[in-house]
Amino acid sequence: MKWNWAILSSIFTIITVLTGCNNKLMVLDPKGPQAQTQADVIMISIWTMSIIVAAVFILLVIMLVKYRASKQPADYEPPHIEGSKLVESICIGIPVIIVIFLSVITIQSNEQVETTPKGYEGQKPLVVYASSSDWKWHFSYPEENIETVNYLYIPTDRPLEFKLYSYGPITSFWIPQLGGQKYAMSDMVNTLHLAADVPGEYMGRNANFSGKGFAENTFDVKAMPQDEFEKWVEEVKATAKPLTQEKFDELLDPGHLGRLTYTGTHLDFSPAPEGENGEHHMMPSHTEHSAMAE
Amino acid sequence: MEFFERFAIPHPSAPIYASMVAIGLTVIAIVAGLTYFKKWGYLWREWLTTVDHKRIGIMYLISALLMLFRGGVDAIMMRSQTAIPENTLLDAQHYNEVFTTHGIVMIIFMAMPFIYALMNFVVPLQIGARDVAFPRLNALSFWLFFMGAMLFNISFVIGGSPDAGWTAYFPLAGNEFSTSVGTNYYALALQIAGLGTLMSGINFIVTILKMRAPGITLMKMPMFTWSALTANVIVVFAFPVLTVALIMMTMDRLFGTHFFATTNGGMDMLWANLFWVWGHPEVYILILPAFGVYSEVISTFARRNLYGYKSMVASMVGISFLSFLVWTHHFFTMGQGALTNSIFSVTTMAIAIPTGIKIFNWLFTMWKGKIEFTVPMLYAVGFIPIFTIGGVTGVMLAMASADYQYHNTMFLVAHFHYTIIPGVVFAMIAGLTYWWPKMFGFMLNERIGKWAFWFIAISFNVTFFPMFFTGLDGQARRMYTYSEATGFGPLNMLSFIGALGLAVGFALIAYNVYYSTRYASRNISADPWDARTLEWATQSPVPAYNFAITPQANSSEAFWDAKKKGHELFKGEVQKIHMPSNSGVPFIMSCIFFIWGFSFVFSLWIPAILATIGIFICMAQRSFERDPGYYISVKEIKETESKLRGA
């Protein structure tokens, strides 16, 4: 028993040392308000759960040390105990309180991560249509009228609204240091609210398995002050080639691509599956049916 | 030529060819061995046609152990591929197939038969019954499961394995993105095995409700039987969902429907919902019998009655109810909004309450006890802290806002291995070791068993604990490789070392079976653990009729009361016993099901139609057959009893 704990604690030490070599864990090193909220929720839940873990571990050690057969007289007959209402009420009561506490935190934070981040409400968000195809990411900036592949430039201190959809399997748009992920699907558009507080380069990727090229389905994120972002947009407009339908179809072919930049967006000729263009609105049979019903 | 091309492997490699040869040689060796030792008749009479719940249990057990090693090899391949950055041991396609089959094999073809092995063997004995309610249906259940498993396992040498993950999300699993027949295997093999499971579910509910010996009221059933009852109720409600979803998947893939394919109004999200409406209850189907095993083991080796019997039962019923109300937590990130997510966050966290009650009740069962650290007890004691970590990380994952960061990462992988391995695998090894003497009449070696336990328990933590960290550091699951710059390397290497340790642990268990079979004493009592429940009141190994006289129970620990409080278990005289006769139909029908499944996988319509007709003929045969069963005479019973008692 003793060397058991020795080994377990040495595992903990090894892991702490190994992770200590790296920088902070990405998810716990937030660079935006949503990721901050999520990191806070994670830390609160870890601390709360440690109480439970400690209680169980301590009780277990007490029981094992105190009531092992080798410590009892040979003729000891354990008593018959049915259970006690008081003890069982405590065992239900404390978890109920903890679950209520965590539920309140969850419900509040669920609301927060699904809306414009706190402190950013007044500002006009930058809307980016992020769509995936096997195994690339396409970023369309409709207002700026530019499009990039596999890299994303964003302004800091401004709310970001990502419109997510897919030209293939379900993917999941994830920039751990800016906030949690959300699915991109081919038959509807999901909205993800993010923002960046700190300029810098971040890792972005598809987190949802989507076939052969999934592991390399990543993109680079660069957050910069608004004026720098505007300068970049101007530069793209001055230098990049326009995105044609033909070119876009070519980009959709399965495979991997480097960073690409275009003026114009694919939204003009290949609109996102939202509103009237939603897959569930385009069904020919559906429209026929409703026509017949009328 | 075109006809044969479909059977070729889409992505052949040297190890696959080696496996083909190995499979071929094994089949030849088995056939030659059976012929040489003239065992065909024995195999047919005693095993293939048996309807005895104990033999069916043992066949489930053998299948589960074989599948454990198959799934384990997949696991080792995955961990060795990801041990170092940019490893080229496996390519992306091969890795995708390996993690897909690892998931399906471990859940459907390892964990499920393992729990049914123990349920089959133990439940009728614990309630003092002669067999299950429908013995022939039970045989059909087993053979359907077995043929489903075989169909699934030939996929990697004929036509290619499924590669869309065990969740097989559409549109990835649709024809457009999964062009090989792999996903057809998934749909058909799970369908066939799932039908078997559904039949088992009905069978065990009826058995437990209708066939209990006198005196065993519902609230006097041993806890393992209670866990079996709740698990099978979940089976009966959850498995039809899988059946329907798989039919829709098959239709989409083979007949051009658009239930899930996203063109023409199909709905990929519908598959995800249906899959998890089955899939979440499924994990509770696995864990509840495990809870039952721990209740028996802890109470036996703490030498005390189970603390809080009523709250244990209530919590299991509560868990089985809640298990149907949480499926959305598997895709909080699908965009259903804050309100829906919040509702499912709360229901998910609520499961922690009944589960917590169980943990505390087990702890209080040890209180004032006299704990003996036998192998089954070691697994039970090891389960409590490890499963607690799994449970609390589950509560963390239940918080939808935070789940956006855990979803699809190694954190999730760590969490569910922290629940399933101590929760199911530990319990199954504990149960196996605990009931082994009842099954085979000798005990597994304790010393080797303890070595295996320490290897498994420690290596388990070395393998999976680092994944909590790599997950929080941004490592998505199911990535076949990663770059060195990510810094995931060292912790993944640690996981790989742990996986090797786990392999050593499981190899030790296999060695223990061999060693104990050869050297263990056959001269053991019918009750070697000094246990408490009815299955220990009969002989070891158990005679075909289970109990010479139907036992009378007064509590959930009738056998203990008989030993300590003078309760009289067996009243009356031995009478002739009516038994069900053997039948080859379940085996034959399942073989036809195998052909049926195989034909569908490869769109071979003529054999598919013939097989369908064959299946109906088997059913008709059963409807018109007269089967009066047979009697075991009093003389024969008395002879068997005195022989077993003398041994």
Side-chain angles (χ1 to χ4, degrees), chain A residues 69 76 88 109 114 181 183, chain B residues 311 368 370-371 401 404 407:
Chain A
Y76 173 64
E88 286 175 68
S109 56
E114 286 292 345
Q181 62 196 286
Y183 284 178
Chain B
S311 60
K368 290 194 178 170
K370 194 177 179 184
I371 302 167
S401 52
Y404 286 17
H407 187 63

Side-chain angles (χ1 to χ4, degrees), chain B residues 1-9 158-159 602 604:
Chain B
M1 239 8 248
E2 213 180 308
F3 176 79
F4 290 102
E5 265 166 26
R6 69 180 91 186
F7 300 110
I9 306 285
I158 307 176
F602 289 99
L604 306 169

